[in-house]
């Protein structure tokens, strides 16, 4: 399974917004500068988080983004789903029921095949793990220097 870059970008931006702890929105220009990311693509990714209720967007000259919920209430799964959707990673097309000599009405085809069952089990485990990890958990696991560095960057860009 491969996720888009915007998932990584969004997780880091959520961490930065959580560490800043300000009531003022942080501009996409500031976030793109901090992480050396293309502003337009980052903005598109952050808008996906707005649609998912993870961030709020504030228009205008002093506009930008803020967390819509406390870090404890934002899971990694929330962020992944905002970008990648809820669809299962594996899509079974039932190829076992094709080909010469196959009777698609055979009793063995009434249940999901072992391949589908194994893939769904793995997908559920992956989703459970992402759902168990919050932005607050990442904050706690990160070095203290990361939070301090983020706050310094924010102050230097604000002037």
């Amino acid at each position: 399974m491969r996720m888009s870059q915007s998932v990584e970008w969004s997780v880091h931006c959520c961490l930065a917004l959580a560490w800043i702890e300000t009531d003022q929105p942080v501009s996409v220009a500031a976030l793109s500068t901090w992480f050396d990311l293309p502003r337009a693509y980052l903005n598109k990714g952050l808008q996906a988080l707005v649609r998912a209720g993870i961030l709020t967007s504030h228009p205008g000259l002093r506009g930008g983004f803020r967390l819509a919920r406390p870090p404890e209430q934002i899971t990694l799964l929330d962020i992944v789903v905002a970008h990648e959707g809820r669809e299962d990673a594996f899509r079974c097309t039932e190829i076992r029921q094709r080909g010469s000599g196959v009777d698609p009405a055979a009793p063995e085809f009434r249940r999901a095949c072992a391949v589908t069952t194994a893939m769904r089990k793995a997908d559920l485990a992956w989703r459970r793990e992402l759902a168990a990890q919050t932005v607050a958990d990442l904050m706690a696991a990160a070095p203290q220097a990361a939070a301090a560095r983020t706050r310094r960057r924010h102050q230097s860009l604000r002037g």
Side-chain angles (χ1 to χ4, degrees), residues 36-47:
D36 192 25
L37 299 171
R39 186 184 305 182
Y41 289 116
L42 179 59
N43 188 58
K44 183 178 176 184
L46 297 179
Q47 289 298 331

Side-chain angles (χ1 to χ4, degrees), residues 87-111:
E87 194 170 306
D88 290 343
F90 179 76
R91 292 170 195 90
C92 179
T93 60
E94 283 293 350
I95 65 169
R96 67 188 179 138
Q97 294 183 30
R98 296 187 227 159
S100 63
V102 175
D103 176 11
E108 69 186 87
F109 298 131
R110 290 187 190 135
R111 287 187 276 166

Side-chain angles (χ1 to χ4, degrees), residues 2-150:
R2 188 178 181 112
M3 288 184 267
S4 63
Q5 288 179 325
S6 57
V7 172
E8 176 192 4
W9 298 358
S10 291
V11 173
H12 280 287
C13 286
C14 285
L15 277 169
L17 293 171
W19 279 324
I20 290 169
E21 300 175 333
T22 179
D23 288 340
Q24 300 299 314
V26 177
S27 72
V28 71
L31 293 168
S32 66
T33 298
W34 292 350
F35 298 115
D36 192 25
L37 299 171
R39 186 184 305 182
Y41 289 116
L42 179 59
N43 188 58
K44 183 178 176 184
L46 297 179
Q47 289 298 331
L49 298 184
V50 170
R51 287 188 297 278
I54 297 167
L55 298 181
T56 57
S57 175
H58 304 270
L61 192 55
R62 297 203 180 272
F65 297 92
R66 291 177 46 212
L67 293 179
R69 306 188 304 247
E72 300 80 19
Q73 295 177 12
I74 301 170
T75 69
L76 294 182
L77 184 61
D78 294 334
I79 296 169
V80 169
V81 167
H83 288 285
E84 307 296 330
R86 294 194 177 278
E87 194 170 306
D88 290 343
F90 179 76
R91 292 170 195 90
C92 179
T93 60
E94 283 293 350
I95 65 169
R96 67 188 179 138
Q97 294 183 30
R98 296 187 227 159
S100 63
V102 175
D103 176 11
E108 69 186 87
F109 298 131
R110 290 187 190 135
R111 287 187 276 166
C113 73
V115 172
T116 296
T117 301
M119 293 298 192
R120 285 203 176 125
K121 184 177 175 182
D123 189 57
L124 285 172
W126 176 77
R127 289 175 188 274
R128 268 193 301 272
E129 187 63 30
L130 290 176
Q133 295 289 314
T134 67
V135 171
D137 294 330
L138 295 179
M139 293 169 74
Q144 286 186 332
R149 183 178 57 248
T150 299

